[in-house]
């Protein structure tokens, strides 16, 4: 199996270790210079304490502790690693000094006395553990140091509470050109979701408006990037092969996660993507072409803000009574997302009709119809392959039906007024 991202992945992680080593003992902070939007900027991080080890045998306790933490999370919210956190890992010293590696349940680390001190630190150990977690259900390596590995590594850091170091790693990946910043990158979708949840639970009108204002500000910024993403997509500037991207929409245990996933699925289906859903309902993985993924993420941000704002206005009006507010909100969301899905499907169908694709023979060489059919087949094949490799099984059950027809109807009516942006540009 090829490993084209190996050198760049190592370079990004070397960047993070240099930043960690430069952290101030007095403040616990490190300031670094990063390149964003074509200019140099200063970024400040407050990284968690990274453990150091004197010998490989000391690493065993650390690895066991990490796996125990992941198993606890799995019992509460479902596995995010295809059950790999339940597989034991042994740490073994080897005679070399230049290399740390993972193979079939073993992490091999060099000894300090042989010049291996560089590997006896938490980040290096977790890199090797990420290989263990990124292995397929039948023991096959998924993508070595590719996008799937990097996503697994970042998720591992977040799951053990290393939030700042995870942010540093994402930044380093972006700085080295591995994972380019899209409009919704840097946790943008999760930020919007967090603001909307705060707005739902605000105790005063001023607090509610402040949270909505900030969420709308983020959505407005990204509505511009949505237009850019769509323009690039129309011009064919997306990748020529399918890819995937894991997107976190919320935190574990949030009841609204299911509704946000339903909204993301509606947008994704209208833009030629296939999806898998995390067992703990905190996010999805999108499979398809990069341009379609860009459009889907940007449109989702705008629609999520509108959906929660519409539901909040409905609940505050009191029109849902005597139904409990939580039940009414869930029914409103259900009606809203169902209607938005229909509108997106209608807009997609209109775009196809305007392009003349439906009037072309599906087998005509060079026709749009043939190209679209080939695209669908390529995405389906890619999704099936990745689903087998990642051990994705079963069907998402979603949420149970909510028995509140009035609130569902009001949600559908509100969705009719929602802004979809440049509807003619939805991919055909």
């Amino acid at each position: 199996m090829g490993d084209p991202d190996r050198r760049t992945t190592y370079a990004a992680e070397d960047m993070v270790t240099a930043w960690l080593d430069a952290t101030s003992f007095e403040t616990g902070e490190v300031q670094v210079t990063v390149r964003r939007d074509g200019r140099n900027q200063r970024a400040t991080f407050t990284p968690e304490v990274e453990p150091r080890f004197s010998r490989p045998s000391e690493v065993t306790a650390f690895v066991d502790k990490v796996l125990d933490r992941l198993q606890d999370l799995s019992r509460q919210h479902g596995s995010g690693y295809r059950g790999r956190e339940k597989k034991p890992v042994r740490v073994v010293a080897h005679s070399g000094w230049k290399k740390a590696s993972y193979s079939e349940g073993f992490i091999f680390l060099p000894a300090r006395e042989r010049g291996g001190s560089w590997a006896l630190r938490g980040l290096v150990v977790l890199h090797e553990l990420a290989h263990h977690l990124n292995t397929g259900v039948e023991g096959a390596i998924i993508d070595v140091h590719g996008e799937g590995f990097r996503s697994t590594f970042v998720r591992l850091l977040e799951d053990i509470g290393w939030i700042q170091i995870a942010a540093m790693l994402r930044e380093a990946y972006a700085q080295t050109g591995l994972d380019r910043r899209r409009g919704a990158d840097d946790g943008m979708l999760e930020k919007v979701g967090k603001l909307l949840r705060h707005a739902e639970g605000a105790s005063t009108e001023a607090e509610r408006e402040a949270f909505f204002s900030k969420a709308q500000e983020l959505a407005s910024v990204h509505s511009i990037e949505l237009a850019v993403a769509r323009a690039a997509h129309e011009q064919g500037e997306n990748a020529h092969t399918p890819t995937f991207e894991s997107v976190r929409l919320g935190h574990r245990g949030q009841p609204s996660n299911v509704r946000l996933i339903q909204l993301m699925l509606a947008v994704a289906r209208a833009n030629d993507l296939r999806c898998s859903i995390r067992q703990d309902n905190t996010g999805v993985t999108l499979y398809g072409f990069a341009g379609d993924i860009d459009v889907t993420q940007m449109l989702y941000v705008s629609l999520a803000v509108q959906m929660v704002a519409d539901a909040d206005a409905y609940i505050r009006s009191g029109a849902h009574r005597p139904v409990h507010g939580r039940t009414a909100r869930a029914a409103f969301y259900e009606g809203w997302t169902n209607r938005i899905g229909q509108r997106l499907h209608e807009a997609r169908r209109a775009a196809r009709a305007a392009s003349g694709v439906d009037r072309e023979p599906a087998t005509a060489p060079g026709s749009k119809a043939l190209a679209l059919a080939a695209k669908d087949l390529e995405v389906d094949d890619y999704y099936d392959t990745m689903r087998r490799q990642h051990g994705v099984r079963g069907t998402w059950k979603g949420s149970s039906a909510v028995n509140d027809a009035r609130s569902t109807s009001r949600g559908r009516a509100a969705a009719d007024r929602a802004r979809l942006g440049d509807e003619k540009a939805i991919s055909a």
Side-chain angles (χ1 to χ4, degrees), residues 26-97:
E26 289 78 15
T27 65
E29 295 182 347
V30 59
Q31 285 197 341
V32 301
T33 301
V34 296
R35 188 78 174 173
R36 296 175 180 169
D37 302 322
R39 57 192 180 90
N40 290 335
Q41 299 181 27
R42 299 289 288 175
T44 301
F45 298 101
T46 309
E48 296 77 16
V49 176
E50 179 199 18
R52 305 296 178 96
F53 311 98
S54 61
R55 59 183 61 87
S57 59
E58 294 180 357
V59 178
T60 299
F62 173 70
V63 170
D64 289 344
K65 184 178 179 180
V66 170
L67 291 176
D68 286 345
R69 171 70 176 271
L70 299 184
Q71 290 174 39
D72 286 342
L73 293 175
S74 175
R75 284 189 288 269
Q76 295 177 49
H77 309 290
S79 175
Y81 305 96
R82 300 171 298 283
R84 292 289 299 176
E85 71 280 359
K86 299 176 183 177
K87 303 291 185 180
V89 177
R90 291 184 59 189
V91 180
V92 177
H94 69 81
S95 57
W97 64 271

Side-chain angles (χ1 to χ4, degrees), residues 106-161:
F106 288 85
I107 292 176
F108 298 94
L109 297 175
R112 177 179 295 275
E113 56 269 21
R114 293 181 177 272
S117 60
W118 64 270
L120 297 175
R121 57 187 303 165
L123 195 67
V124 174
V125 173
L126 292 175
H127 171 108
E128 304 306 332
L129 188 58
H131 280 304
H132 171 76
L133 298 172
N134 195 48
T135 301
V137 291
E138 296 179 354
I141 299 296
I142 293 177
D143 63 355
V144 194
H145 294 98
E147 187 172 358
F149 167 79
R150 296 192 295 274
S151 176
T152 298
F153 194 4
V154 171
R155 185 188 310 170
L156 169 60
L157 294 175
E158 292 173 341
D159 281 347
I160 66 172

Side-chain angles (χ1 to χ4, degrees), residues 69 109-110 136 140 180 201 208 212 261 269 326 386 392 399 401:
R69 171 70 176 271
L109 297 175
R180 63 189 181 87
R208 181 182 297 110
F212 272 131
I261 288 175
R269 291 187 187 110
R326 182 174 297 175
M386 296 303 291
V392 177
S399 60

Side-chain angles (χ1 to χ4, degrees), residues 35 61 85 111 132 138 180 183 185 192 206 214 233 238 248 272 290 314 319 391:
R35 188 78 174 173
E85 71 280 359
H132 171 76
E138 296 179 354
R180 63 189 181 87
D185 272 355
V192 170
K214 183 59 177 177
H233 179 60
N238 54 329
R248 186 162 186 161
D272 302 325
Y314 171 61

Side-chain angles (χ1 to χ4, degrees), residues 233-413:
H233 179 60
E234 287 183 337
Q235 295 165 12
E237 294 178 0
N238 54 329
H240 296 294
T241 58
T243 185
F244 74 93
E245 181 162 349
S246 296
V247 179
R248 186 162 186 161
L249 302 180
H251 296 284
R252 289 185 172 97
Q254 294 291 336
S256 59
N257 285 353
V258 173
R259 309 301 173 183
L260 296 177
I261 288 175
Q262 288 174 330
L263 178 60
M264 175 63 87
L265 293 179
V267 180
R269 291 187 187 110
N271 286 283
D272 302 325
L273 300 181
R274 313 298 182 262
C275 302
S276 62
I277 296 93
R278 293 185 187 175
Q279 290 184 353
D280 57 6
N281 286 334
T282 58
V284 303
T285 300
L286 304 174
Y287 303 86
F289 287 87
D292 295 326
I293 292 175
D294 284 343
V295 169
T296 294
Q297 293 193 69
M298 297 304 100
L299 183 54
Y300 166 85
V301 171
S302 173
L303 291 175
V305 173
Q306 295 179 67
M307 180 179 75
V308 176
D310 286 346
D312 191 70
Y314 171 61
I315 297 300
R316 285 188 289 120
S317 74
H320 64 288
R321 296 190 180 97
V323 177
H324 191 280
R326 182 174 297 175
T327 301
R329 185 183 290 273
F332 187 97
Y333 284 163
E334 184 175 285
W336 206 98
T337 53
N338 287 341
R339 178 58 186 142
I340 281 296
Q342 292 172 351
R343 286 188 60 193
L344 290 170
H345 178 73
E346 292 163 1
R348 170 186 169 85
R349 187 168 55 190
R352 289 174 65 98
S355 69
V357 65
D358 292 332
R359 297 189 296 272
E360 296 178 342
T363 57
S367 69
K368 293 181 181 178
L370 182 60
L372 287 176
K375 174 187 176 184
D376 282 341
L377 181 61
E378 187 172 4
V379 172
D380 281 339
D381 288 346
Y382 176 76
Y383 174 58
D384 288 342
T385 299
M386 296 303 291
R387 187 170 59 177
R388 288 194 300 271
Q389 289 184 343
H390 287 240
V392 177
R393 296 186 178 93
T395 303
W396 188 59
K397 297 179 180 179
S399 60
S400 57
V402 183
N403 187 20
D404 182 8
R406 178 174 54 183
S407 296
T408 300
S409 177
R410 292 291 292 270
R412 291 180 62 87

